[in-house]
């Protein structure tokens, strides 16, 4: 454990010291000397972001459910705290027992966003763990990673000992069990890793070799020592019975999602062609309304939160949404606890639920049409029509809502300037709809937020082979749209930094050669790259240059079907042929129906993952 007196003296010198103290309600306390296995869950962003991450909360409480295992938390220190720790010669430590990361058996990172990778290196280095996996000895922790980014683990392959592909609930238990056995046998890490590779869902990168062709594409991925090829993702098949914490930690600081969150379902059947989550988290598995109501009530009584959120990729598609919303809102009436419900298409409900849903839906209206024209929405398989958008906003305006938020993407495959400017046409039409509503029914003034992100092609989607627009093209489109929106009064336009989206595209589809870039960027001081105030693009440009890596090769290059992709060792259960077929259908602007209406043959049934 680190010197807490010294720690106490440095905390008042940094911003938001409560990020680094621990001791919150719901924190798990155990005797470190009776724990056989010690696990540090590390989140490569600040406390406020990490404490809102449901996956980390689930795994923290699940692992702590085993008596012999003690799991603790650690978040990325803000640069002022990083400096303070270095100045005081203190290592990065966990909140529960103030133990240095290097003293754990496992250090596990959640990788949900590519631009957190340099923070992982910071945390390893500050935690006194060798940054490169090859430099670690058996006395160092096993460094593991999970989360959405590990569906292409390769840019981080040199830094991580093993990746958990898919949902970690069952895999972690098996991994810890194997570790205990190896510890009793005094086995070294190399032996443990070779056996861990035999657990379904585990990818040990050091057991795979990658060679490259002269043109830079992957020549071959070879497997050593009988490790699996490909590695199949794991899922929790009985999701209703799956673990969910009853008593989550109540954060000390105002965090991003300061409320009770229940997980309604996993997966999505809609098949939007740009959406990685929609493919990697298939198949859809739901919790029953009764289970969710029980979990929500238990969480409220243990935490004292005053809001419950129903979380999933598409809560409106949950088969028992009307019953869940109505029963929960009735049960919570008069308790001071509100229900946050995403935009629901209430036209699909009739009878007893319709009126109740109208009363509950009071959190403003948010829509993600993603593209400005129907042609482009068909290309991306976003089954939302202008009629859907316009009738929903009309209804919202008539019931007194004045704030509407719309989310779009720019640079989608097949996009023309007409599609970009179509976003301004939608905004103008929504403004007209607002003024068509009788004055006495309108609330406040007209307010519309249009947020436009830059399309990033992601692995395991039909657009995984697509080229990304380059930065200049994105910036030109942003300028043209901004000009077009100037004539629509009451619209707030938000857009993404195209330079950051380019980097995201590089690391989303990158390979092992990018580890040198990450190391250079880390050494140059790149931290918290998704935070505007800390993002330094020039440092990244130099990091690429020093490593001799051309970012456009990864971001702006269209791939062919027969190219070996760096992430081909990872199997989501969805066949490559299906993804390619979806890409072909996109080129014809042909839509594919929601697979709840009939299986569209993505491959999960053959893989035994979808019933
Ligand atoms: S196997 Fe069929 S039903 Fe299952 S997720 Fe794939 S397309 Fe949908």
């Amino acid at each position: 454990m680190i010197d807490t007196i010294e720690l106490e003296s440095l905390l008042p010198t940094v911003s938001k010291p409560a990020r680094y103290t621990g001791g919150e309600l719901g924190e798990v306390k155990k005797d470190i000397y009776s724990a056989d296995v010690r696990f540090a869950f590390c989140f490569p962003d600040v406390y406020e972001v990490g404490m809102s991450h449901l996956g980390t909360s689930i795994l923290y409480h699940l692992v702590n459910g085993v008596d012999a295992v003690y799991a603790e938390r650690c978040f990325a220190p803000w640069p002022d705290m990083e400096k303070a720790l270095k100045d005081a010669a203190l290592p990065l430590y966990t909140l529960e027992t103030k133990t240095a990361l290097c003293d754990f058996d496992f250090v596990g990172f959640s990788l949900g966003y590519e631009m957190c990778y340099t923070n992982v290196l910071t945390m390893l280095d500050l935690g006194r763990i060798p940054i490169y996996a090859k430099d670690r000895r058996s006395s160092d922790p096993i460094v593991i990673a999970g989360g959405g980014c590990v569906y292409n683990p390769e840019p981080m392959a040199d830094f991580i000992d093993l990746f958990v592909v898919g949902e970690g609930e069952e895999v972690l238990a098996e991994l810890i069990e194997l570790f205990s056995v190896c510890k009793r046998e005094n086995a070294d890490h190399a032996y443990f890793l070779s056996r861990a590779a035999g657990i379904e869902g585990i990818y040990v990168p050091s057991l795979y070799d990658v060679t490259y062709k002269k043109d830079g594409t992957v020549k071959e991925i070879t497997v050593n020592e009988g490790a699996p090829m490909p590695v199949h993702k794991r899922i929790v098949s009985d999701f209703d019975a799956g673990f969910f914490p009853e008593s989550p930690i109540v954060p000390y600081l105002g965090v991003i999602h300061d409320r009770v969150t229940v997980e309604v379902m996993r997966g999505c059947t809609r098949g939007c062609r740009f959406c990685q989550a929609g493919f990697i988290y298939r198949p859809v598995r739901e919790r029953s309304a009764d289970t969710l109501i029980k979990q929500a009530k238990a969480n409220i009584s243990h935490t004292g939160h005053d809001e419950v959120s129903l979380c999933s990729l598409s809560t409106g598609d949950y088969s028992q949404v009307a019953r869940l919303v109505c029963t929960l809102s009735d049960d919570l009436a008069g308790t001071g606890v509100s229900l946050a419900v995403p935009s629901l298409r209430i036209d699909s409900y009739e009878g007893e639920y319709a009126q109740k849903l109208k009363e509950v839906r009071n959190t403003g209206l948010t829509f993600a049409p993603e593209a400005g024209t129907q042609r482009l929405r068909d290309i991306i398989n976003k089954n939302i029509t202008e009629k859907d958008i316009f009738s929903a906003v009309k209804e919202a305006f008539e019931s007194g809502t004045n704030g509407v938020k719309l989310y779009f993407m720019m640079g989608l495959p097949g996009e023309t300037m007409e599609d970009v400017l179509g976003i301004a046409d939608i905004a103008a039409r929504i403004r007209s709809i607002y003024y068509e509503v009788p004055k006495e029914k309108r609330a406040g003034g007209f307010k519309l937020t249009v947020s436009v992100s830059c399309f990033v092609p992601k692995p395991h989607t039909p657009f995984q082979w697509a080229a990304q627009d380059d930065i200049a093209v994105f910036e030109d489109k942003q300028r043209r749209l901004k000009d077009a929106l100037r004539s629509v009064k009451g619209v707030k336009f938000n857009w993404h930094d195209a330079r950051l989206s380019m980097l995201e595209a590089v690391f989303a589809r990158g390979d092992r050669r990018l580890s040198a870039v990450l190391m250079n960027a880390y050494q140059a001081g790149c931290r918290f790259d998704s935070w505007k105030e800390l993002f330094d693009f020039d440092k990244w440009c130099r990091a690429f240059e020093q490593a001799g890596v051309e970012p456009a090769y990864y971001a702006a290059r269209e791939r062919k079907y027969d190219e070996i992709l760096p992430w081909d060792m990872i199997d989501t259960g969805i066949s490559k042929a299906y993804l390619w077929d979806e890409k072909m259908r996109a080129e014809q602007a042909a839509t594919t129906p929601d697979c709840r209406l009939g299986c569209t043959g993505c491959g999960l049934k053959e893989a035994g993952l979808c019933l």
Side-chain angles (χ1 to χ4, degrees), residues 310 325-330 338-342 344 353-364:
L310 307 178
V325 170
C326 294
T327 311
L328 254 186
S329 68
D330 276 349
S338 64
L339 189 57
V341 185
L344 298 175
Y353 296 133
Q355 188 51 39
K356 180 65 70 183
L357 288 170
K358 271 189 186 168
E359 287 162 22
V360 170
R361 201 186 65 182
N362 57 4
T363 49

Side-chain angles (χ1 to χ4, degrees), residues 89-229:
L90 288 175
L92 186 61
Y93 60 89
T94 50
L95 299 187
E96 281 74 5
T97 62
K98 314 291 178 288
T99 301
L101 290 187
C102 57
D103 290 332
F104 281 82
D105 297 307
F106 284 98
V107 166
F109 287 92
S110 172
L111 303 181
Y113 181 43
E114 293 80 2
M115 298 317 295
C116 72
Y117 288 169
T118 54
N119 279 7
V120 173
L121 307 199
T122 310
M123 293 175 80
L124 288 172
D125 206 9
L126 267 184
R128 300 191 179 157
I129 299 168
I131 295 180
Y132 282 107
K134 66 177 171 45
D135 296 333
R136 285 179 209 131
R137 298 168 183 279
S138 290
S139 54
D140 292 311
I142 303 279
V143 177
I144 78 174
C149 289
V150 310
Y151 286 86
N152 176 19
E154 292 305 272
M156 290 294 282
D158 287 351
F159 308 115
I160 304 292
D161 295 315
L162 69 83
F163 293 91
V164 176
V165 183
E167 296 164 5
E169 281 97 329
E170 289 161 15
V171 187
L172 275 188
E174 292 166 31
L175 199 61
I176 289 169
E177 174 61 31
L178 173 67
F179 183 82
S180 303
V181 171
C182 290
K183 202 172 172 180
R184 280 197 295 276
E185 292 170 0
N186 257 332
D188 64 10
H189 279 187
Y191 177 76
F192 167 73
L193 289 173
S194 68
R195 288 197 55 190
I199 297 175
E200 189 163 65
I202 299 284
Y203 170 57
V204 179
S206 56
L207 302 182
Y208 298 72
D209 288 319
V210 183
T211 52
Y212 301 91
K213 295 181 192 167
K214 276 204 182 99
D215 65 3
T217 57
V218 174
K219 185 175 175 211
E220 201 180 7
I221 303 171
T222 49
V223 189
N224 302 327
E225 301 176 25
M229 181 70 176

Side-chain angles (χ1 to χ4, degrees), residues 256-332:
I256 308 280
H257 302 304
D258 210 354
R259 59 194 180 205
V260 163
T261 301
V262 288
E263 195 182 7
V264 170
M265 61 181 189
R266 283 191 190 161
C268 177
T269 49
R270 294 196 166 247
C272 301
R273 293 177 177 133
F274 58 86
C275 178
Q276 189 188 41
F279 286 96
I280 61 179
Y281 298 128
R282 278 187 185 195
V284 162
R285 288 142 296 149
E286 296 189 344
R287 281 210 165 100
S288 71
D290 291 337
T291 304
L292 291 165
I293 292 164
K294 212 170 103 223
Q295 290 174 345
K297 287 182 179 171
N299 269 237
I300 293 164
S301 72
H302 284 110
T303 62
H305 278 302
D306 59 5
E307 188 178 67
V308 180
S309 157
L310 307 178
C311 143
S312 81
L313 290 173
S314 177
T315 301
D317 291 335
Y318 173 54
S319 64
Q320 300 177 60
V321 67
R323 184 163 96 77
L324 174 65
V325 170
C326 294
T327 311
L328 254 186
S329 68
D330 276 349
D331 290 359
L332 297 176

